[in-house]
Amino acid sequence: MSKRTFVVWRGNKDGGNFVEYPVEVEEGMVVLDAIHQIQRTSAPDLACRWNCKAAKCGSCSAEVNGKPRLMCKTRLDDLPGEEAITVKPLKSFPIIRDLVTDVSWNYTVNKKIPPFTPKKGADFIMQQSDVDRVQEFRKCIECFLCQNVCHVVREHNQKSHFFGPRFFIRVASLEMHPMDALNRIPQIKKEGGLGRCNITKCCTEVCPEEIHITDNGIIPLKERVVDQFFDPVQIVIRKITGADKPQPTE
Amino acid sequence: MLDKYETHEHDVVIIGAGGAGLRAAIECSARGLKTALICKSLLGKAHTVMAEGGIAAALANVESADSWQTHFQDTMFGGKYLNNWRMAELHAKESPDRVRELERWGAVFDRTPEGKILQRAFGGHTYKRLAHVGDRTGLELIRTLQDKGIHQGIDVYMECTISRLLKDGDRMTGAFGYWRENGRFVVFKAKAVILATGGVGKCFKITSNSWEGTADGHALGFEAGAELVDMEFVQFHPTGMVWPPGVMGLLVTEAVRGEGGILRNSKGERFMEKYDPKRMELSTRDVVARSIYTEVKEGRGSPHGGCFLDISHRGAEYVKRKLPSMYHQFKELADVDITKEPMEVGPTCHYIMGGIKVDADTGATRVPGLFAAGECTGGMHGSNRLGGNSLSDLLVFGRRAGIGAGDYAAGAPAANIAEAEVEAAAAEMTGYFGRPNPESPYKLHIDLQNMMQSMVGIFREEGDLTAAIAKLQEFKQRYEHVAVEEGQRMYNPGWHLCRDLKNMLICSEAIARAALMRKESRGGHSRLDFPKYDSYWGEHNIIISKDGPAMKVEPRETVKVAELAPLVEARKAKESSK
Ligand SMILES: Cc1cc2nc3c(=O)[nH]c(=O)nc-3n(C[C@H](O)[C@H](O)[C@H](O)COP(=O)(O)OP(=O)(O)OC[C@H]3O[C@@H](n4cnc5c(N)ncnc54)[C@H](O)[C@@H]3O)c2cc1C
Ligand code: SF4
Ligand code: SF4
Ligand code: FES
């Protein structure tokens, strides 16, 4: 059995440092297995979150060798050979302890989004092709890796005026739901700060669910913002017909 | 000296935020009750999120012949008639409404060509009955309930573990726990408490359950005076991953077989032809699990001690669309492309049929003010649960427990909690710090899991079970010494595990004692020394309750519902004519 060195950030909101641990490597091992081994053998109080160990719950997010990843999905044999593997907590959220961060901001944002509101008399007859896109967004496991990498949050910490990619697609999943009655565009423009996103696509790159956050979610939302707020023809039509919800573009 | 602790007062406190707890909370808060929802993880991460294959409900969208009667019969046959008849009836009748209600709350299920909710085949269900979203149905369910619930004024307490239920005389009046984040104590006062804590998989070595499945509700309920029923019935799901070691036990959804997956042994034989030629791969879980186990034991296993499950004949396109997370799971974790090659699978501890005994209609336990719903309860599934019947169980009985507890709370006086009880609960938690001759909680846990796996696992016999009970006494002694280093109370998993061990020990003992008493094989309980059905045991459930420091184990006649007898008799006649 071979050994690898792990360098894990230990500490709390007042500070901390990297600590080295040797790990016995088993076949097919993932980073979360290594963390568990460290807990069992040398550091029983090493804090980390996890639940499913199958990339289904989005609990075990961390930065592995500088990249935001799910620890349960990151195989050791995919990380370069002899070097030590560093594991540290997500940068964009306040530290609680070791690998555990305070992600409560995300829950606060989610609460601001009005719930699904079915149209009056909705019969819920929907074709698969009409819900494919919505289902893509609903695959989100709330790992918050996209929230973590988005520079609006990471570098500029504009959490109070920005929903972040996770909640852009949450809004998109409601906005594109064939039976939803609300116009969600004004909120995502103003409160949600959609305009602050400059389509760098970093969010899409890290999404473990491979959701096309930018192409399928953010860009169509931006188009709808333009339609509703800046397109004079649309504004006139809306005034005449009283329609408060544009037709889905898909 | 007792540390300072915070106190929260509510009408109803719900422990557990999986499908059952969330559904109960929605019901309570909708009735204007001040409702607390407590969970060990973040909201939305409970075990329910992992459910894959679907939710069973006789919607009859795909096969119009389906009806609640057939669903009821399938559930009873699957449970080998030990089910609580009334629960099976309510479940079959109400689950279609609960699924439609989810859709109205925003869930987006896969569709039929007519634009209705699509349903797939699953083991033990006569018709295509499982509403689903690819293979991530649990995520859809929990997210829908979560997004509905957060707008109803429920107070959510995340990453908070309850370590004791608090009573005033006989009546339930609250709960004591600690914040995982900082280790501080917290007391919840309530007129009614609902347990919705999920499963017990962590008692076993190979399991599909997460760290949360430590039998908390089973043990808390037992300690508070509630009865447990059917504890000997543990479901080993036939298909868990067997390789690599780090993911051993991880679930491979039954939907793979529902979509046409074929099981083969190392000789390439489709061995289910031998064990259940009629239902083949879609036989009930207990049968398939035992068949795989037998193939392996007799030397026809796959390289890593399982068998082969092949879906590649359905074509890459189809497999990726219908089983996307399985595709990724194998690709990323095992380097296997399931559209081209077979998976290696073997049995994994998945679900416990047994649990807290409740009144079918209200979820009430025998302790006034204590209710329960979801996997931590027993009765609904009898000796074996059909796939998809858990998610529907959560919604049907989560809602009913919410109504039951709500009605009780509305008529109950304010709750009172004795300071001494809180002090005792706090002393228990601080007691794990800095004990002399410390025993590692991790070590004890591994020993417990190995023992349960080998002695109280898929196949059981008297000698093993007696030895297991003796071993458990020894583990209880060792438990008295489990300890962590003084000091660190912030997010300390070792400390948490110390307390979890107590729950797992209670639950393991209940399983072993019930398994020893049931001298027959039925559903999830297989005795090598009593391989057949027994007519006495076919009419009796085993009830476990606290009797001073001891565990009382007694058979009790299964309660039937006269009006349902014709349905049950018809099904029995049909099966015996086969
Ligand atoms: C991998 C997998 C796939 C499955 N697929 C299906 C399927 O396709 N169809 C189906 O019908 N069933 C399926 N099941 C079974 C089903 O998912 C579970 O039985 C069900 O989700 C249990 O729900 P629950 O609400 O009872 O508890 P859980 O979802 O397990 O939630 C328990 C809650 O209780 C909390 N809790 C526990 N103890 C404490 C404590 N001491 N203090 C505070 N909070 C506590 C936890 O934090 C959690 O929030 C599957 C199970 C697994 C493991
Ligand atoms: S595309 Fe927009 S939301 Fe996504 S990371 Fe870039 S700026 Fe953030
Ligand atoms: S969108 Fe993707 S990256 Fe973002 S939280 Fe959801 S699953 Fe994670
Ligand atoms: S543990 Fe669930 S995503 Fe990693």
Side-chain angles (χ1 to χ4, degrees):
Chain A
M1 219 181 269
S2 65
K3 272 199 183 186
R4 282 191 83 161
T5 306
F6 269 73
V7 183
V8 183
W9 194 88
R10 304 289 317 261
N12 55 34
K13 67 177 183 344
D14 304 321
N17 54 292
F18 285 98
V19 180
E20 252 187 51
Y21 300 99
V23 166
E24 302 264 3
V25 179
E26 273 184 353
E27 240 183 330
M29 198 169 186
V30 294
V31 171
L32 186 61
D33 292 324
I35 297 295
H36 284 163
Q37 194 188 103
I38 295 168
Q39 283 179 338
R40 268 197 314 272
T41 52
S42 38
D45 63 343
L46 169 59
C48 84
R49 283 196 184 104
W50 69 283
N51 281 73
C52 67
K53 245 187 138 282
K56 289 190 167 70
C57 72
S59 303
C60 64
S61 306
E63 302 196 356
V64 179
N65 285 350
K67 286 218 181 77
R69 312 282 296 255
L70 294 178
M71 290 193 282
C72 69
K73 208 183 162 185
T74 307
R75 298 250 313 235
L76 299 195
D77 46 19
D78 288 341
L79 301 170
E82 301 302 297
E83 293 156 43
I85 296 167
T86 59
V87 188
K88 58 182 190 204
L90 297 183
K91 177 181 170 219
S92 301
F93 308 116
I95 301 268
I96 293 177
R97 205 165 88 81
D98 303 339
L99 302 176
V100 176
T101 58
D102 176 358
V103 293
S104 57
W105 168 62
N106 296 289
Y107 288 86
T108 312
V109 172
N110 195 29
K111 222 169 166 167
K112 292 182 187 160
I113 301 171
F116 174 67
T117 310
K119 293 175 183 161
K120 265 219 174 71
D123 59 2
F124 287 92
I125 297 295
M126 303 184 280
Q127 293 304 313
Q128 185 61 46
S129 54
D130 294 335
V131 298
D132 277 341
R133 186 54 42 83
V134 177
Q135 286 188 328
E136 178 188 358
F137 300 143
R138 292 184 66 87
K139 284 196 309 192
C140 170
I141 57 173
E142 300 208 321
C143 64
F144 307 130
L145 289 176
C146 58
Q147 304 285 80
N148 176 57
V149 289
C150 177
H151 67 100
V152 182
V153 181
R154 197 176 174 96
E155 267 91 51
H156 308 288
N157 199 16
Q158 298 191 359
K159 292 197 183 95
S160 47
H161 333 276
F162 189 65
F163 281 5
R166 155 56 188 139
F167 297 102
F168 293 154
I169 60 153
R170 162 101 182 105
V171 171
S173 77
L174 292 162
E175 173 67 21
M176 296 180 196
H177 192 303
M179 299 292 149
D180 187 60
L182 298 187
N183 176 6
R184 295 167 184 280
I185 297 303
Q187 186 197 32
I188 201 70
K189 175 176 184 285
K190 294 184 195 117
E191 215 186 338
L194 185 69
R196 283 168 217 269
C197 157
N198 52 353
I199 323 189
T200 59
K201 297 200 183 185
C202 312
C203 49
T204 305
E205 273 164 35
V206 295
C207 178
E209 287 294 305
E210 299 179 3
I211 299 168
H212 298 93
I213 302 175
T214 28
D215 289 359
N216 290 348
I218 293 177
I219 293 174
L221 281 180
K222 281 182 177 267
E223 284 167 4
R224 290 181 188 199
V225 169
V226 172
D227 282 353
Q228 279 194 33
F229 286 89
F230 307 111
D231 181 340
V233 181
Q234 287 288 337
I235 291 169
V236 171
I237 292 175
R238 231 183 11 258
K239 284 220 168 109
I240 297 168
T241 63
D244 63 345
K245 183 163 179 156
Q247 287 306 302
T249 49
E250 300 303 315
Chain B
M1 240 306 282
L2 179 55
D3 318 12
K4 270 216 188 82
Y5 61 88
E6 52 189 289
T7 306
H8 299 277
E9 202 161 341
H10 292 272
D11 294 316
V12 182
V13 162
I14 297 158
I15 305 169
L22 271 162
R23 188 63 190 80
I26 288 172
E27 206 59 34
C28 290
S29 59
R31 301 169 141 236
L33 295 164
K34 193 165 159 24
T35 307
L37 184 65
I38 307 170
C39 49
K40 294 201 281 190
S41 295
L42 296 171
L43 187 62
K45 311 293 183 194
H47 213 86
T48 299
V49 81
M50 295 169 69
E52 295 166 353
I55 172 165
L59 295 162
N61 285 355
V62 175
E63 293 187 88
S64 58
D66 203 5
S67 64
W68 77 261
Q69 287 90 344
T70 315
H71 193 182
F72 169 77
Q73 288 175 315
D74 289 347
T75 302
M76 292 295 295
F77 175 67
K80 295 292 174 281
Y81 309 111
L82 273 190
N83 317 53
N84 177 319
W85 291 31
R86 174 72 177 152
M87 283 178 106
E89 176 194 13
L90 290 171
H91 168 259
K93 282 185 174 162
E94 294 178 5
S95 51
D97 281 345
R98 297 286 78 76
V99 170
R100 284 189 282 260
E101 170 182 83
L102 270 193
E103 183 166 70
R104 285 198 303 278
W105 291 349
V108 184
F109 292 100
D110 287 358
R111 317 306 298 175
T112 66
E114 301 79 42
K116 295 196 231 165
I117 296 173
L118 181 61
Q119 298 180 274
R120 68 160 46 118
F122 238 59
H125 292 280
T126 303
Y127 299 107
K128 290 189 173 156
R129 191 177 281 145
L130 268 71
H132 60 277
V133 187
D135 50 9
R136 56 161 190 86
T137 314
L139 172 66
E140 190 69 16
L141 185 142
I142 205 163
R143 201 66 83 232
T144 303
L145 295 176
Q146 180 184 346
D147 288 335
K148 164 95 181 149
I150 54 171
H151 294 287
Q152 288 202 166
I154 299 165
D155 293 311
V156 182
Y157 300 89
M158 301 189 221
E159 303 200 303
C160 177
T161 303
I162 297 301
S163 63
R164 190 174 290 217
L165 297 178
L166 303 171
K167 292 208 288 191
D168 181 17
D170 282 342
R171 180 190 158 205
M172 189 57 44
T173 48
F176 174 95
Y178 59 88
W179 292 106
R180 304 179 73 81
E181 178 181 328
N182 56 28
R184 294 217 186 90
F185 297 138
V186 52
V187 169
F188 297 92
K189 262 192 195 180
K191 293 178 183 166
V193 173
I194 303 177
L195 288 170
T197 52
V200 311
K202 281 289 152 187
C203 298
F204 292 84
K205 179 177 165 214
I206 301 175
T207 176
S208 64
N209 290 189
S210 80
W211 65 268
E212 291 199 314
T214 49
D216 296 10
H218 288 78
L220 292 171
F222 168 85
E223 292 270 284
E227 291 175 326
L228 302 178
V229 61
D230 295 340
M231 290 301 286
E232 66 276 34
F233 298 116
V234 177
Q235 180 167 79
F236 289 83
H237 193 292
T239 59
M241 289 176 82
V242 294
W243 189 90
V247 294
M248 197 191 281
L250 204 67
L251 193 74
V252 178
T253 173
E254 184 167 328
V256 176
R257 282 173 288 136
E259 298 292 349
I262 290 171
L263 290 168
R264 287 194 192 0
N265 60 21
S266 59
K267 293 179 155 169
E269 293 160 342
R270 191 172 177 186
F271 57 82
M272 285 310 295
E273 280 168 357
K274 257 188 319 201
Y275 301 96
D276 188 348
K278 183 126 196 306
R279 296 187 185 78
M280 300 289 276
E281 280 81 6
L282 290 181
S283 181
T284 49
R285 289 180 175 174
D286 51 330
V287 175
V288 183
R290 281 195 298 269
S291 309
I292 296 175
Y293 186 91
T294 308
E295 289 297 305
V296 175
K297 208 159 187 184
E298 293 177 359
R300 295 183 296 275
S302 65
H304 299 100
C307 71
F308 296 106
L309 172 61
D310 195 358
I311 185 77
S312 59
H313 56 280
R314 298 301 310 254
E317 191 55 29
Y318 186 84
V319 171
K320 282 191 208 166
R321 187 159 51 83
K322 294 309 275 186
L323 303 163
S325 61
M326 280 306 108
Y327 172 74
H328 284 117
Q329 187 171 311
F330 274 89
K331 186 105 194 134
E332 278 144 24
L333 300 174
D335 295 322
V336 169
D337 179 350
I338 68 168
T339 67
K340 298 203 179 78
E341 13 171 10
M343 301 156 240
E344 257 190 88
V345 296
T348 180
C349 173
H350 184 57
Y351 185 88
I352 183 155
M353 275 65 75
I356 301 161
K357 191 169 180 313
V358 291
D359 173 58
D361 290 77
T362 61
T365 70
R366 72 171 184 180
V367 179
L370 182 63
F371 296 75
E375 190 172 341
C376 70
T377 63
M380 158 66 207
H381 307 286
S383 67
N384 176 49
R385 172 178 74 89
L386 297 186
N389 267 1
S390 170
L391 293 184
S392 39
D393 165 1
L394 307 182
L395 298 177
V396 168
F397 296 105
R399 172 176 164 275
R400 283 188 164 270
I403 296 172
D407 285 348
Y408 178 91
N416 184 42
I417 286 174
E419 190 70 9
E421 271 212 68
V422 175
E423 276 179 38
E428 173 175 44
M429 285 311 301
T430 47
Y432 300 114
F433 286 114
R435 284 180 175 163
N437 309 319
E439 165 91 45
S440 155
Y442 292 98
K443 177 81 176 61
L444 180 54
H445 189 201
I446 290 170
D447 290 349
L448 172 68
Q449 290 180 310
N450 284 333
M451 187 284 284
M452 288 299 286
Q453 187 80 30
S454 64
M455 292 161 94
V456 197
I458 299 188
F459 283 108
R460 302 159 172 177
E461 61 186 328
E462 176 145 353
D464 279 352
L465 292 170
T466 314
I469 291 166
K471 263 280 181 223
L472 283 164
Q473 307 315 310
E474 186 191 312
F475 291 160
K476 283 198 271 185
Q477 298 287 319
R478 283 171 61 187
Y479 163 77
E480 296 298 326
H481 300 277
V482 289
V484 284
E485 262 175 61
E486 193 77 60
Q488 184 57 268
R489 277 172 65 167
M490 268 163 80
Y491 228 110
N492 184 341
W495 182 41
H496 304 161
L497 181 58
C498 290
R499 179 60 187 78
D500 296 344
L501 274 168
K502 179 171 165 190
N503 297 333
M504 288 185 274
L505 286 167
I506 291 174
C507 178
S508 299
E509 183 169 346
I511 296 172
R513 287 193 186 276
L516 179 63
M517 177 174 274
R518 182 168 291 276
K519 292 189 170 37
E520 66 156 356
S521 292
R522 182 177 299 271
H525 171 70
S526 306
R527 288 279 300 256
L528 289 168
D529 41 355
F530 298 96
K532 295 217 173 70
Y533 291 124
D534 175 280
S535 59
Y536 171 83
W537 285 113
E539 305 272 333
H540 289 80
N541 300 89
I542 294 175
I543 310 286
I544 290 184
S545 58
K546 193 170 160 66
D547 184 13
M551 203 172 256
K552 189 160 131 202
V553 191
E554 55 188 323
R556 193 177 298 165
E557 207 170 325
T558 307
V559 184
K560 301 175 177 172
V561 178
E563 301 87 83
L564 297 169
L567 283 175
V568 173
E569 290 314 317
R571 185 55 181 265
K572 280 187 178 165
K574 191 170 152 208
E575 290 298 332
S576 62
S577 71
K578 272 180 189 164

